[in-house]
Amino acid sequence: DERRGIVYVGNVHDGTVLAVDARTMQPLRRFRAVPRAYGLTLDPDGTTLYAVANQSATSPFAAPGYVAAIDVASAHPHVVRRSRSLRFPVAAALDVADGLLFVSDESADVVYVLRASTLRDAHAPLRTCDVPWEPYYDAPSHRLFVPCARSGKIDVFDARTLRRVRGAPFVTGGYPLALSLWRAADSAER
């Protein structure tokens, strides 16, 4: 949370989230979130934290995964809504302008497209390459980037049309789990 100077850390092994003061690096509070709290995404106003429960009914965890919206503005953070059961979700990316939450699923090889306000399906899942991991949404380009670990590729979708961008997926030559985007100050430099 850049405005308030808070870093949220998901703790996979105990299902909690730790809020840390970014200036002092001192813990502010720890609260229950979701089992195997893996992917975290905060809305821009810093009031809702989306947490991915990285588990699967067919795995040793024997419980379905899902995404929960947590009210972190209240004195006692708590889950205010949750998605349907998802196969084996990993992480999420938020498209604030269109109110969409993109959630990768490492087992189903899809990205779920959920309404951020309700956590209900907004569109059929996007088929992607093998083992999608941590999606990245770039607001200026309206593009969703999805690193696919097993296939060693990055898939790219236009978030307005929810269609794959020409040339995607492209090969990285490794086992990509996450990515970041650098934007030149002047488009002539690209």
Side-chain angles (χ1 to χ4, degrees):
D1 183 343
E2 291 181 37
R3 196 171 52 180
R4 292 175 186 85
I6 300 172
V7 176
Y8 291 99
V9 180
N11 297 301
V12 173
H13 293 299
D14 69 4
T16 65
V17 170
L18 177 66
V20 176
D21 185 307
R23 291 173 297 282
T24 66
M25 298 300 144
Q26 295 300 307
L28 299 171
R29 61 184 171 181
R30 180 184 301 268
F31 53 90
R32 301 276 333 137
V34 297
R36 291 189 44 82
Y38 199 85
L40 299 178
T41 302
L42 184 68
D43 69 352
D45 65 6
T47 61
T48 303
L49 181 70
Y50 297 94
V52 175
N54 176 242
Q55 54 188 14
S56 170
T58 59
S59 74
F61 310 116
Y66 60 92
V67 179
I70 301 170
D71 175 0
V72 292
S74 68
H76 303 286
H78 59 282
V79 173
V80 292
R81 61 191 167 279
R82 76 177 254 179
S83 73
R84 64 178 172 85
S85 294
L86 305 175
R87 192 160 166 194
F88 205 169
V90 178
L94 182 62
D95 172 356
V96 175
D98 292 321
L100 298 175
L101 187 70
F102 300 103
V103 182
S104 58
D105 190 302
E106 65 180 306
S107 181
D109 295 336
V110 299
V111 174
Y112 301 107
V113 183
L114 307 178
R115 242 332 120 221
S117 60
T118 63
L119 296 182
R120 295 179 189 258
D121 293 315
H123 188 274
L126 306 175
R127 294 283 316 141
T128 189
C129 36
D130 297 336
V131 188
W133 205 252
E134 191 171 326
Y136 178 89
Y137 177 70
D138 179 54
S141 69
H142 302 283
R143 288 191 171 180
L144 175 69
F145 295 83
V146 183
C148 297
R150 184 167 294 131
S151 59
K153 297 178 181 178
I154 305 292
D155 214 345
V156 186
F157 296 88
D158 182 318
R160 293 167 295 191
T161 64
L162 298 176
R163 293 177 187 244
R164 182 173 279 124
V165 171
R166 184 190 294 184
F170 60 88
V171 176
T172 67
Y175 197 82
L177 298 178
L179 61 93
S180 186
L181 184 70
W182 175 78
R183 182 169 268 93
D186 180 354
S187 61
E189 295 177 31
R190 291 183 206 177

